[in-house]
Amino acid sequence: MKPGLEERAAQLILAVVKTGCYLALFLGSQVLVMLPLVIATAIQTVTGSGVLNENALNAMLNERAMTYTLMADLLTLVIVLTFYLIRRKKFSEALWMRHVDAPTLWEGAALAPGLYLAVSIVLIALPESWTASYNEASAGIASGTLVGVIAVVAAAPVVEEVIFRGLIMTRLSRAMPGWLAVLLSAAVFGACHGHPVWFGYAFVLGTVFGSMDLRAGSIWPSILGHVAFNSIDQIRSFLPKTDAAVITFLGVLVVVAIVAPIVDRAAAMSQRRAQAPPVQRLPIVPGVYDFDPWDT
């Protein structure tokens, strides 16, 4: 029996409330970690005359941005895991960290090079003022430190996929069509990135990752896809800023973007064939037909 209008409304309200709680947890952890550290950093940049040195403050915040981000991500993850540990719920079910087969697991990572190329092309096509604003906002991400790499490549993908796909998208999908839950969770994911350019490509990534996860019934494909996407960006940030290095990087990326999805798709088809039940063949006897269509 289909749920009535009141029941559906109650499910929708509950899903929205849960979404707000998970979002508050994510943003609250950022504020809880960053606000005291930002205040301490601001105090360090006060001049002898008691005037805040804004240039020094911005420089120090950019320098320490990845440390703050890593601490906030770890705090968010600890709170989520502790919450479900107290409730004695399996993480694999509560957070959608279910086991999937290898081709499905690596689907996100296989698509990541192509997604990165698409984002790069769009960024190049943007107006110069937009690009300058985006580069300024992204200054603290490519820090070149070990902490920065861990924060961007490991911590952020896991925490963001747990929050936005494992918790928000899955709860929304219980009260609305799956495609709408994917789009709404992707919009929230993009909005949390702040900058308009970030919102645009975070929304696209969130839509692709959410669609994969909804089909797979697990967030592992998007976690690995997110890790791969951020890893590519970190690798690019370490390369020399020469034309030869950029062309070589893009050339390799194009090849990987073409080959990786083909290999993953071929592996999926091969696995499907291996798991398919044997086909019942008709007897090869001239003039004889003894196949029973009711025989299963």
Side-chain angles (χ1 to χ4, degrees):
M1 179 182 296
K2 292 184 178 180
L5 182 60
E6 292 183 359
E7 187 176 350
R8 289 200 299 269
Q11 291 174 348
L12 180 59
I13 292 172
L14 181 60
V16 172
V17 169
K18 286 184 176 181
T19 296
C21 291
Y22 296 132
L23 185 59
L25 168 62
F26 179 76
L27 297 177
S29 297
Q30 308 285 323
V31 173
L32 188 63
V33 168
M34 292 186 180
L35 187 58
L37 295 176
V38 169
I39 293 174
T41 304
I43 293 173
Q44 293 179 25
T45 60
V46 173
T47 62
S49 58
V51 179
L52 179 66
N53 187 331
E54 294 185 8
N55 291 332
L57 174 61
N58 290 333
M60 292 181 71
L61 289 178
N62 282 335
E63 182 182 349
R64 302 174 183 179
M66 290 297 94
T67 302
Y68 300 165
T69 300
L70 179 59
M71 293 172 63
D73 285 341
L74 292 177
L75 176 61
T76 302
L77 195 59
V78 167
I79 292 174
V80 170
L81 296 181
T82 302
F83 175 73
Y84 284 105
L85 190 63
I86 292 174
R87 296 184 64 191
R88 297 183 179 180
K89 291 205 171 186
K90 291 178 63 176
F91 297 147
S92 59
E93 290 302 318
L95 307 178
W96 261 37
M97 303 183 80
R98 301 165 180 159
H99 173 76
V100 292
D101 58 71
T104 302
L105 176 67
W106 291 101
E107 183 180 4
L111 293 177
L115 291 171
Y116 189 87
L117 276 174
V119 169
S120 299
I121 292 171
V122 172
L123 289 176
I124 293 172
L126 289 176
E128 187 176 346
S129 59
W130 289 28
T131 305
S133 174
Y134 168 75
N135 290 336
E136 183 180 351
S138 307
I141 295 179
S143 62
T145 64
L146 179 60
V147 171
V149 172
I150 294 173
V152 173
V153 173
V158 172
V159 172
E160 290 177 1
E161 294 309 312
V162 164
I163 295 293
F164 294 100
R165 253 66 69 185
L167 292 174
I168 291 179
M169 185 194 73
T170 59
R171 273 52 179 182
L172 289 175
S173 67
R174 296 175 183 175
M176 61 185 66
W179 63 268
L180 184 56
V182 168
L183 292 178
L184 288 178
S185 61
V188 174
F189 177 58
C192 287
H193 282 72
H195 195 278
V197 175
W198 264 335
F199 171 85
Y201 79 71
F203 175 77
V204 172
L205 291 180
T207 301
V208 174
F209 289 159
S211 300
M212 282 192 305
D213 289 348
L214 204 61
R215 188 172 64 252
S218 171
I219 65 170
W220 281 114
S222 67
I223 288 178
L224 293 189
H226 204 150
V227 167
F229 187 94
N230 287 10
S231 297
I232 294 170
D233 195 52
Q234 286 295 294
I235 292 171
R236 183 177 184 177
S237 70
F238 287 122
L239 294 177
K241 308 302 180 183
T242 62
D243 292 342
V246 172
I247 292 172
T248 302
F249 171 78
L250 292 177
V252 172
L253 199 59
V254 168
V255 173
V256 176
I258 295 172
V259 173
I262 295 175
V263 172
D264 187 69
R265 182 65 178 171
M269 293 177 65
S270 175
Q271 186 175 67
R272 226 173 270 126
R273 285 195 298 267
Q275 294 175 347
V279 178
Q280 186 175 11
R281 299 186 180 278
L282 297 179
I284 309 177
V285 180
V288 177
Y289 182 78
D290 59 359
F291 174 69
D292 182 3
W294 297 102
D295 184 13
T296 58

